[in-house]
Amino acid sequence: MQKEALSKGFIYLLLILGSILMLLPFVWMISTSLKLPNEVMIMPPKWIPSDIQWSNYIEAWFSAPFAIYSVNSVIVLISSTIGELITTILAAYAFSRINFYGRELIFSVLLGTMMVPGEVLLIPNFVTLSNLGWIDHYQALIVPWLASIFSIFLLRQFFFSIPKELSFAAKIDGCSDFRFLWSVMVPLAKPALITIAILKAIGSWNAFLWPLIVTSSEEMRTLPVGLISFSTDAGTRYELLMAASSMIILPMIILFIVLQKYIIEGVARAGIKG
Amino acid sequence: MNDKPTLNKTLKAVLYLLPALVIIVTFSIYPIVKSFFMSFYTDYDYFKDLVYARGLDNYKVIFEDPEFWKSLGNTLLFVVGVVPLSIIISLVIATLLNQKIKFRGLFRTIYFLPFVTSVVAVSIVWRWIFHSQYGVLNYFLGLFGISPINWLTDPTWAMPSLVILAIWKGLGYNIIIFLAGLQNINQQYYLAAKIDGAGAWERFKNITVPLLSPTTFFISIVSIINSFKVFDEVYALFGGQPGPAGSAETIVYYIYNKFYGEWDFGVASAAAYVLFLVIFIFTLIQLYFGKKVNY
């Protein structure tokens, strides 16, 4: 019994040590973001600021157009998430409930394109968007992301698990396909839809390479792109840089903690990379 | 109710599929084909969509470009640095989390946190951690008598910095997948082994590792593919540069630079297709062995 307790203690010790290593960067970020400038560059480092400087957040916020960046990020996040949900629900319904010519073929082609790395699509998409005159507009940040093969795949699997008898019953009661989808299937698929929405929201909020390439003016930048340009301007003002980084990192951490059940289940079920 | 495809059903399906297919065809399927053709465009005006000359020159350019080989080498180094270490660490942590312990949910949340954060923002935080003079990492190393390392400015240490950041960022994802795999292993194997007097290490080595191998295989392929595509970390950690003296230039950075820095779309497309080919090979390996290795 004593040996058992000893090994339990060892497990906790390892897990706690690991957790400290995982959390340390965040602690260091928040600690630095609250320091006076003269406390930032000192050795040995001070973990708890002697005087908490909330004003660093205000200063960082106004040192670059973070208000614009945030509005852009929120607009892109909300519109691409809602848009993707709608296209996904419609397509997943067709793939799971309507037996049409070429269904398996189209679905396999879609799955096949999932293997292609996004980097291959970058250049032709840039050309397409230039020809449409969308570069440096919201359309370029939103429209290409309004559908996701992966989400269609995930929701199709979920729709398969909903008993077919439900739709027969609804049809007998005179319910149209379209109404059945929105008033029966969609509410039943809520957990899967939440998973899809959160993963999309996280991906959209954190996206970097795409917004970097399709935006050129300051007014169109999203938060990660704006943060990069701020990082050159801020120079060695690490307290401001850490405050700005916190403003991008913390919203997603909060979202994750509140809705983690859906994220972890989604990742475990499908093994996706967000 | 008969369930055969009919013209009527097909028409209805088209309406349901239209919104998604318009986007996917325009922004995923067409570009795959277009990109392939663009990789052969040697003289090209993208504004007017005019092609003056085609040929294999773009591929010749990249295969003769020492920078391309260097970026490929760096990427391989990154893959070799990240994948095995990340798998070992996450397997150990997942196994520990799979024991009967308290606060399992809390631990899982903590390990997963970095995964949901912006790569750019955490890279900037790590830039500060790696700071040669005032960074916490050098401070901790100093406690063990190790003299300060120029993590981000010394070409020898740029790649290790990138590897550390990537392992930290991706650990949580691997742990979640491993945990899901571990929970599929029948507990009776462990019980039987315990009765037979097998110790914890023997149980891990003879039950967990072999029964978990499909999961391990899946994680390694996904990690390899994703590591081949590393870009955001490089860009943010080294302030838009590919590391000191190009020591952290990866393939995607090379593509980005050819495309967005030098506006050479043909060469960039060719390099992107080489990356696609590499990833395609790994995907085929996964599909091939994924069917074979199944318990």
Side-chain angles (χ1 to χ4, degrees):
Chain A
M1 226 45 239
Q2 212 176 10
K3 202 181 151 206
E4 194 94 318
L6 203 73
S7 68
K8 266 277 155 66
F10 188 63
I11 291 174
Y12 282 115
L13 186 75
L14 279 178
L15 285 175
I16 290 169
L17 265 175
S19 304
I20 291 174
L21 286 177
M22 294 312 274
L23 289 177
L24 215 61
F26 298 122
V27 175
W28 180 235
M29 167 184 85
I30 291 166
S31 153
T32 307
S33 75
L34 296 170
K35 282 177 184 170
L36 280 164
N38 61 5
E39 265 188 341
V40 174
M41 299 268 198
I42 49 164
M43 263 301 163
K46 215 171 171 175
W47 288 95
I48 298 163
S50 56
D51 189 24
I52 304 272
Q53 295 292 303
W54 291 107
S55 59
N56 285 342
Y57 281 81
I58 298 164
E59 200 186 336
W61 180 262
F62 288 108
S63 327
F66 277 111
I68 295 173
Y69 304 156
S70 310
V71 169
N72 290 342
S73 278
V74 170
I75 289 175
V76 172
L77 183 149
I78 291 177
S79 41
S80 59
T81 306
I82 293 176
E84 185 186 295
L85 283 177
I86 294 171
T87 60
T88 303
I89 290 168
L90 293 173
Y93 182 76
F95 279 123
S96 62
R97 288 302 161 96
I98 306 173
N99 206 349
F100 56 95
Y101 290 117
R103 181 168 87 164
E104 301 313 311
L105 178 75
I106 295 175
F107 196 68
S108 327
V109 170
L110 292 189
L111 285 186
T113 56
M114 267 184 17
M115 313 197 298
V116 181
E119 289 70 18
V120 170
L121 317 178
L122 210 58
I123 300 162
N125 278 342
F126 180 81
V127 175
T128 306
L129 293 174
S130 309
N131 291 333
L132 288 168
W134 285 1
I135 295 292
D136 214 28
H137 287 87
Y138 282 122
Q139 290 98 306
L141 291 166
I142 298 166
V143 177
W145 305 103
L146 286 181
S148 148
I149 299 169
F150 172 74
S151 304
I152 295 172
F153 175 72
L154 202 72
L155 191 61
R156 170 183 169 266
Q157 297 303 99
F158 201 90
F159 276 174
F160 274 140
S161 68
I162 297 174
K164 277 211 162 149
E165 287 70 22
L166 271 178
S167 67
F168 301 153
K171 264 192 191 146
I172 291 164
D173 289 347
C175 177
S176 74
D177 265 13
F178 194 68
R179 233 189 85 204
F180 172 73
L181 168 62
W182 293 98
S183 51
V184 180
M185 298 279 269
V186 168
L188 284 174
K190 215 172 107 192
L193 290 171
I194 295 176
T195 302
I196 291 170
I198 304 168
L199 291 173
K200 175 70 172 191
I202 293 173
S204 164
W205 184 262
N206 296 337
F208 176 64
L209 181 55
W210 184 253
L212 175 72
I213 280 169
V214 299
T215 61
S216 50
S217 65
E218 201 158 64
E219 290 74 43
M220 287 313 299
R221 279 181 195 151
T222 56
L223 279 169
V225 182
L227 179 66
I228 281 284
S229 70
F230 178 62
S231 77
T232 9
D233 301 339
T236 53
R237 296 289 306 275
Y238 279 101
E239 71 281 9
L240 299 185
L241 210 46
M242 291 306 113
S245 301
S246 308
M247 293 190 290
I248 299 182
I249 289 174
L250 294 180
M252 285 305 118
I253 288 194
I254 292 166
L255 184 78
F256 167 64
I257 290 174
V258 174
L259 297 166
Q260 57 171 312
K261 192 181 105 195
Y262 297 99
I263 302 178
I264 288 180
E265 267 175 22
V267 170
R269 195 182 319 131
I272 8 85
K273 194 88 183 167
Chain B
M1 245 175 239
N2 77 36
D3 207 29
K4 282 227 170 84
T6 61
L7 197 64
N8 226 337
K9 283 182 191 164
T10 309
L11 282 175
K12 197 166 80 180
V14 167
L15 288 178
Y16 279 96
L17 289 173
L18 205 60
L21 283 188
V22 167
I23 302 288
I24 292 168
V25 169
T26 317
F27 296 106
S28 298
I29 294 176
Y30 162 76
I32 294 173
V33 181
K34 182 74 180 173
S35 192
F36 182 70
F37 287 117
M38 279 175 90
S39 72
F40 297 104
Y41 294 175
T42 46
D43 195 0
Y44 172 66
D45 181 347
Y46 91 86
F47 277 116
K48 298 192 189 114
D49 200 19
L50 287 173
V51 187
Y52 305 110
R54 293 183 177 83
L56 287 168
D57 282 9
N58 295 327
Y59 287 95
K60 215 178 133 205
V61 167
I62 57 171
F63 289 133
E64 282 172 4
D65 185 358
E67 204 187 322
F68 173 76
W69 291 109
K70 197 179 171 191
S71 70
L72 192 64
N74 283 339
T75 311
L76 282 173
L77 208 65
F78 177 77
V79 171
V80 171
V82 170
V83 177
L85 258 177
S86 175
I87 286 178
I88 294 168
I89 298 171
S90 50
L91 177 58
V92 169
I93 294 171
T95 314
L96 296 180
L97 282 176
N98 202 36
Q99 310 299 313
K100 283 196 193 77
I101 53 157
K102 282 177 191 143
F103 310 115
R104 180 194 295 168
L106 179 67
F107 281 124
R108 202 178 54 177
T109 306
I110 291 172
Y111 285 104
F112 199 73
L113 274 187
F115 190 76
V116 301
T117 58
S118 149
V119 177
V120 170
V122 292
S123 298
I124 284 172
V125 173
W126 276 90
R127 214 199 276 181
W128 173 222
I129 291 171
F130 284 131
H131 195 282
S132 56
Q133 230 179 323
Y134 301 108
V136 267
L137 187 57
N138 275 346
Y139 165 71
F140 284 127
L141 293 176
L143 297 179
F144 296 98
I146 299 167
S147 47
I149 293 169
N150 292 321
W151 291 100
L152 301 178
T153 48
D154 182 342
T156 335
W157 289 102
M159 190 49 81
S161 311
L162 202 59
V163 169
I164 293 172
L165 164 60
I167 291 177
W168 174 81
K169 182 89 168 65
L171 216 50
Y173 171 83
N174 291 350
I175 290 173
I176 298 298
I177 311 266
F178 268 136
L179 265 176
L182 284 170
Q183 265 142 28
N184 282 334
I185 297 178
N186 195 331
Q187 287 302 312
Q188 291 187 334
Y189 292 122
Y190 291 104
L191 219 62
K194 251 187 182 168
I195 292 166
D196 289 344
W201 169 246
E202 281 171 303
R203 290 197 303 263
F204 178 75
K205 197 181 64 177
N206 296 325
I207 300 173
T208 311
V209 171
L211 287 182
L212 205 59
S213 62
T215 311
T216 315
F217 190 73
F218 172 78
I219 291 181
S220 30
I221 294 290
V222 171
S223 307
I224 290 171
I225 291 175
N226 282 306
S227 302
F228 264 110
K229 300 198 281 186
V230 61
F231 172 79
D232 295 10
E233 291 89 335
V234 181
Y235 194 98
L237 198 56
F238 302 102
Q241 299 303 312
S247 52
E249 176 160 5
T250 59
I251 301 190
V252 176
Y253 193 95
Y254 180 87
I255 298 169
Y256 163 81
N257 190 38
K258 286 289 170 220
F259 162 42
Y260 212 63
E262 298 173 15
W263 292 90
D264 199 335
F265 290 8
V267 171
S269 298
Y273 249 84
V274 173
L275 171 70
F276 177 26
L277 197 71
V278 172
I279 288 174
F280 185 70
I281 291 168
F282 277 102
T283 313
L284 285 188
I285 298 174
Q286 180 192 16
L287 289 175
Y288 180 70
F289 284 101
K291 285 198 183 104
K292 277 182 130 185
V293 194
N294 247 322
Y295 286 86

